[in-house]
Amino acid sequence: MSVIPDEYLRYLKTEKRYAVLTVNAYCIDLNEFFNWLAERRIDYIKVQPDQVRQWSAHLHRGGLDGRSIQRKLSSLRRFYHFLLREHQVKFNPAIDIRAPRFTLKLPATLTVDTINNFLDVPSHSWLETRDLAMMELFYSSGLRLSELVSVNVQDIDWYTHQVKVLGKGSKERIVPIGSKAMLALEKWLPLRLGLVDETEDALFLSQRAKRINPRTVQVRLKVWQKKHTLTQRLHPHKLRHSFASHILESSGDLRAVQELLGHSNIITTQIYTHLDYQSLAQAYDNAHPRARKRREPTDTDSSS
């Protein structure tokens, strides 16, 4: 079996500055491909497009969905792009290979009323105060789970109501914080100071007064889901998606939502967000000059 070249791993970690989990995901995809090649005694340097296509079909026959295959092909394209840049291959064999068609399943969102019902509640402990501050920041700023747990106290600009976050690919962006989220953070901060020493910069802490773990955040959201008997699952991605959907429905500004979410490609935003069809239809009927319904004739019109 072939081994992923060390120089490629360095490229991902240092030049592309990908997170550890992202690098690991690329490695898993490549190792699966290398195993498949080894069974057929094919050198990855000599791979042809037909062989990549055969691998994609092999994955599909094995029950893998189109979206997962698309991700694996993307890993291959990136790997061979690197080899092409380093003059180790003459062409990228994965460049024109497409995954089987698949239907995007849009994640469900929470309604504004539902969010208000479980966020507009009093807190009775430091734990609940922390949870409310986390959920408010999730929904107010559309953060990813990894971004939320990485936020430090000094990343919050208390004057301009903004937070600096480190997104995918270690890309830094600044996003606004809503007034209710600011109030929740202001309530949490004094309690945080009573729990932590000066060496810990994390904004959100665990019960051990250390930076909170992503898994802990997920568990706490499930606690709130049960506490408020929500019929829908409550998890970080749903709060982020609800943020994006509500902003897009109100503004219609896809580019702004793209910037707020930290998407490098607007196509990702188009897939990630959705609008209620009835709202779109109503906006179209009200705005398009040739879509407006004609006024029904009145008795006065017919008698003139």
Side-chain angles (χ1 to χ4, degrees), residues 72-88:
K72 291 179 182 297
L73 288 172
S74 177
S75 297
L76 278 195
R77 279 191 288 271
R78 188 173 297 278
F79 174 61
Y80 280 101
H81 173 77
F82 170 79
L83 295 182
L84 185 62
R85 191 189 76 166
E86 298 298 309
H87 306 292
Q88 296 184 36

Side-chain angles (χ1 to χ4, degrees), residues 98-117:
R98 296 291 174 260
R101 289 186 179 183
F102 60 93
T103 303
L104 281 174
K105 184 179 179 182
L106 292 171
T109 62
L110 299 167
T111 67
V112 175
D113 287 341
T114 298
I115 291 174
N116 288 339
N117 286 340

Side-chain angles (χ1 to χ4, degrees), residues 223-239:
V223 170
W224 281 80
Q225 174 191 331
K226 292 179 180 178
K227 180 179 178 181
H228 292 273
T229 61
L230 295 177
T231 56
Q232 291 179 280
R233 285 182 59 214
L234 183 60
H235 52 81
H237 184 73
K238 184 164 288 183
L239 288 172

